[in-house]
Each structure stands twice: as C-alpha cells, then as structure tokens.
Amino acid sequence: MQRILNTHGRLRIAVVAGESSGDLLGSQLILALKQRLPHAEFFGIAGPKMQAAGCTSFVPMEKLAVRGYLEVIRHLPELLRIRRQLKRQLLADKPDLFIGIDAPDFNFGLEKALKQAGIPTIHYVGPSVWAWRSERLKKIGQCVSHMLLLFPFEEKIYQEASIPATYVGHPLAEIFPAVPDQLAVREVLEIPAQKAVFTLLPGSRQSEVEMLAALFVETARKLLERYPNALFLVPFVTRETRLLFEQEIWKQGAQALPFRLMFGHAHEAMQAADVILLASGTATLEAMMSRQPMVVTYRLSSLTYRMVKRKLRLPYVSLPNVLAGQFIVPELLQDDATADNLVQAISNLYDDKRFATRLSQRFADLHLSLRCGAAERAADAVCSVLGARA
C-alpha cells in the first residue's frame, strides 16, 4: 500500500451512501481505512456518521433516502440531477477509487460510468438478488470491480456469476453485545420493572412512517387494552419522522397513550423490549441481535407491492428468516398488516416466555455467525483492490 501512496501522492476515495444504515457502514469502513491509509481523503455523499469519520459530503444524504417505485418516481428528476452532477465531477476529478454503499439504484449507474473510465469501483452491501430480481447480476458485473458482502450465503452467488466478491460479515454484529443485559438497559432508561415494554419502529424513512404510523398507533391502543401496564418506546432517526408520528397520535386522539418518543437510542429501545414491532428492513437484523421477540410488518402502495411480489424468490422478507432459511419470526405484510393481526402476533410472543427464550438462543446463534470483524475485513479488501491497481 505504500507503493500506492508514493505513486499517486495522495489517495482520494469517493464514497456514496444513501441512508442511515449505509452511513454506519461507511463510517466504520472509513475509520478502518484511515488506520491503513492515514493520508487518504474521502468525499462524496455522506451522512453524519461518515462526516464525523472525515468524509466531505457534497449533497445531503437524505436526498437519496427514497423507497418504493412510486416514491422514487416522484423524486426521480432530483435524483437523476444529483447523479449527473456527481458523475461529471468524478469523471473530471478521477478519484483513485469509488465505493458505493448500498443504494443500488443510484450507485450502479454511477459505478458503471466510472468503471468504464478506468476508475475501480467497489460496492458495499450486495442487493437482494437472493430474494428477488436475480437478473441484476449481469448488470452488477458491468458496474462493479469488487463486491463486499454482509451475509455468508451471498458469496457463492457472486462467484458463480464471475463477479469478484468478499464476504466481510456484518458490522452491526460487532456493535451489539454478545449477551445483552436487558435489566441494565431498562435501568438506564428508567423503566419500572412491572412495565410490559413494546418497542415500535415504524421505519427510518419519511415514506415508511407515513405508511405505517396510523397502523402503529392503532396497534398500541389495542395493546394497551390488553396490557394496561404497557409502555411504548418509539425511537426515531430524524425530527421529520418523529413529527409525522406525533401528528398521527394527535389525529387519533391518542395523546394519553404511554408513548415514549425518543431521538436515537434505537438499540437500547430494542434491548429493553419484551416484544418489538418494526418495519421490514435492516432494523430486523438489529432486533435479532437484541435477542428480543419481534413482529415484522410492512406496507407499500398497491402498485409497488404488486410489482415487488411478482419477483420475490423467497417466501419471507425479513433478514432473520432469510438467515435462518425458515420462518422464525412472524411477518404481516400489506393486507395482512392490520392492528388486530399485529396485536395477536405480539401477544403470542409476549405471553409465551418459553418460546421467547428459545427464539433468543436462535437469534444468538445467527448473531455470532455474522461476527467476524466486518470493517477490518472490508478495509483489507479495499486495500487489495487499490494494490491491484497500483
């Protein structure tokens, strides 16, 4: 790696992340790379964690955090404008390496142009080709010099498609304690011992909270009828998502319900829970690592859901079920996502303590299978790609 620094004078790495989970991955990778490449410069599109790690952001990361076909269409002109401007800048500036973190619909088009211009491209987090749209593998090969993968079963898929790839493990597996201490977390959060704690996570994007807030508030109301000692922890990533949820509370006249709305501290809220209700996505992996029972739900616009459902390759969508290869947590999606159904599923988990204990052990096994120093392994793979170029 010293040869790279001597050849280029200074190492310039462009990085683009599209949402909060990518911001976490990017920040850990940047810190690991800085230990190996102390003179490297990082710039692109970054969230607060990546910026704190030393990455200069040209565009607010929130501009890219859009999910669903109809939602993307609504924001498409701005997304395309951002990508065009960034592509022009990077092609003119010629960084030594480009790293796209998740956000495949945004990053792959950018990566293809850069790769064709001779700039090596790394994509961190393989898209869910194992779940749907496996036809994307050919396109991925045209865009990506090397893939960094979070899950062990992905490596074989990319090898068979002749796409260089490295399984690095999942950084979240390093963050969560191997043995969570629920009592200690509840003490820190000042939760009385007699409370039935339900943690609600309606999503990190505004579009998700808009779709799920009413359902979650109604579910909380019905749960309180069944469990009068209930407490609802609701952590949020942004002020905008919290405001949307608060507006729904007022709309339903539910101000008296025992909600505790929180900024951040999602991991603590999960570990403190008796049962977690959450939107499908990366948060399901975090809930699994908290070792607490969960119910997974999701809603999309009818058109988006029909389009996605036709291409699904697996009968489940949440990561704990995908990793286990079977249903171990309930998923209530789209038309099945009703307050009555959610309350029943949550109650089943809350009332059956023996099953909750067995599920916690299964979660522990899956957690440990992903714990292999992801940021360090990812940084080693990045350095190998840079070394091959020098």
Side-chain angles (χ1 to χ4, degrees):
M1 192 50 58
Q2 184 65 43
R3 182 161 61 94
I4 293 173
L5 293 176
N6 289 341
T7 301
H8 295 283
R10 52 181 187 144
L11 192 64
R12 305 183 68 253
I13 299 175
V15 190
V16 171
E19 56 183 90
S20 57
S21 58
D23 186 36
L24 174 62
L25 295 175
S27 66
Q28 293 176 335
L29 176 57
I30 288 169
L31 292 173
L33 284 170
K34 281 191 166 185
Q35 292 182 350
R36 294 158 173 78
L37 308 167
H39 302 296
E41 298 177 10
F42 299 88
F43 59 94
I45 299 179
K49 291 184 176 65
M50 288 170 62
Q51 292 178 55
C55 184
T56 301
S57 187
F58 298 144
V59 178
M61 187 187 70
E62 292 75 18
K63 297 284 187 182
L64 274 58
V66 183
R67 171 174 283 187
Y69 287 112
L70 296 182
E71 293 79 9
V72 169
I73 289 171
R74 206 163 51 235
H75 294 86
L76 189 57
E78 183 178 26
L79 290 170
L80 292 175
R81 177 183 57 78
I82 292 171
R83 190 167 68 180
R84 280 195 305 270
Q85 291 176 345
L86 186 59
K87 181 171 70 173
R88 282 198 300 268
Q89 183 172 352
L90 293 178
L91 288 174
D93 207 25
K94 296 265 187 207
D96 295 277
L97 178 72
F98 176 86
I99 303 174
I101 303 176
D102 211 353
D105 292 323
F106 184 91
N107 276 325
F108 281 152
L110 192 55
E111 289 162 1
K112 184 176 182 179
L114 297 176
K115 185 180 179 184
Q116 290 174 344
I119 299 169
T121 59
I122 290 178
H123 194 85
Y124 193 0
V125 183
S128 304
V129 292
W130 40 265
W132 72 305
R133 292 179 65 190
S134 57
E135 71 275 7
R136 287 180 294 178
L137 282 168
K138 183 178 180 180
K139 175 183 175 181
I140 292 170
Q142 297 170 345
C143 303
V144 176
S145 305
H146 201 98
M147 291 289 302
L148 302 180
L149 305 171
L150 304 187
F151 303 113
F153 57 82
E154 296 178 290
E155 200 165 35
K156 182 180 178 182
I157 296 172
Y158 285 90
Q159 287 174 348
E160 291 175 347
S162 299
I163 299 172
T166 302
Y167 164 61
V168 300
H170 206 296
L172 286 175
E174 316 295 331
I175 294 174
F176 277 83
V179 183
D181 189 340
Q182 186 187 65
L183 291 178
V185 172
R186 288 192 178 190
E187 184 176 342
V188 170
L189 295 178
E190 299 182 343
I191 298 173
Q194 73 276 13
K195 289 292 185 182
V197 181
F198 302 103
T199 294
L200 311 181
L201 294 149
S204 60
R205 299 178 178 88
Q206 293 183 49
S207 58
E208 290 173 327
V209 178
E210 287 171 351
M211 193 69 74
L212 294 173
L215 175 64
F216 276 44
V217 173
E218 183 182 358
T219 300
R221 186 196 302 276
K222 291 177 179 285
L223 280 171
L224 187 63
E225 294 172 0
R226 189 171 295 198
Y227 304 106
N229 63 331
L231 172 65
F232 303 104
L233 304 180
V234 195
F236 296 97
V237 176
T238 66
R239 293 184 180 276
E240 290 78 12
T241 52
R242 173 172 172 153
L243 178 60
L244 288 169
F245 198 84
E246 288 179 326
Q247 289 172 342
E248 187 58 40
I249 291 173
W250 281 89
K251 184 177 178 180
Q252 293 194 32
Q255 298 92 320
L257 266 64
F259 288 115
R260 185 185 292 184
L261 307 186
M262 308 162 67
F263 275 123
H265 302 291
H267 294 175
E268 292 85 352
M270 292 180 189
Q271 292 175 41
D274 289 301
V275 183
I276 302 165
L277 171 64
L278 72 167
S280 179
T282 304
T284 62
L285 193 68
E286 299 173 20
M288 182 193 83
M289 294 175 188
S290 77
R291 311 290 171 84
Q292 304 309 326
M294 75 182 85
V295 174
V296 178
T297 190
Y298 211 79
R299 282 179 177 172
L300 294 165
S301 67
S302 297
L303 176 60
T304 299
Y305 182 73
R306 287 198 300 270
M307 295 175 71
V308 169
K309 188 175 181 181
R310 282 202 305 269
K311 295 192 175 186
L312 287 176
R313 299 177 60 197
L314 298 176
Y316 26 70
V317 299
S318 65
L319 286 168
N321 290 338
V322 173
L323 287 167
Q326 64 183 114
F327 277 101
I328 59 174
V329 301
E331 298 179 357
L332 295 166
L333 311 176
Q334 207 64 8
D335 294 339
D336 292 331
T338 67
D340 287 337
N341 286 346
L342 293 178
V343 167
Q344 188 58 57
I346 292 168
S347 299
N348 292 342
L349 294 173
Y350 180 81
D351 294 337
D352 191 342
K353 304 302 183 187
R354 291 176 61 187
F355 176 76
T357 299
R358 293 197 301 271
L359 186 61
S360 178
Q361 184 54 55
R362 188 67 186 278
F363 287 168
D365 294 340
L366 293 172
H367 179 182
L368 293 177
S369 73
L370 301 175
R371 205 175 217 203
C372 50
E376 300 300 317
R377 292 179 66 165
D380 287 341
V382 170
C383 289
S384 295
V385 172
L386 285 166
R389 189 193 184 203

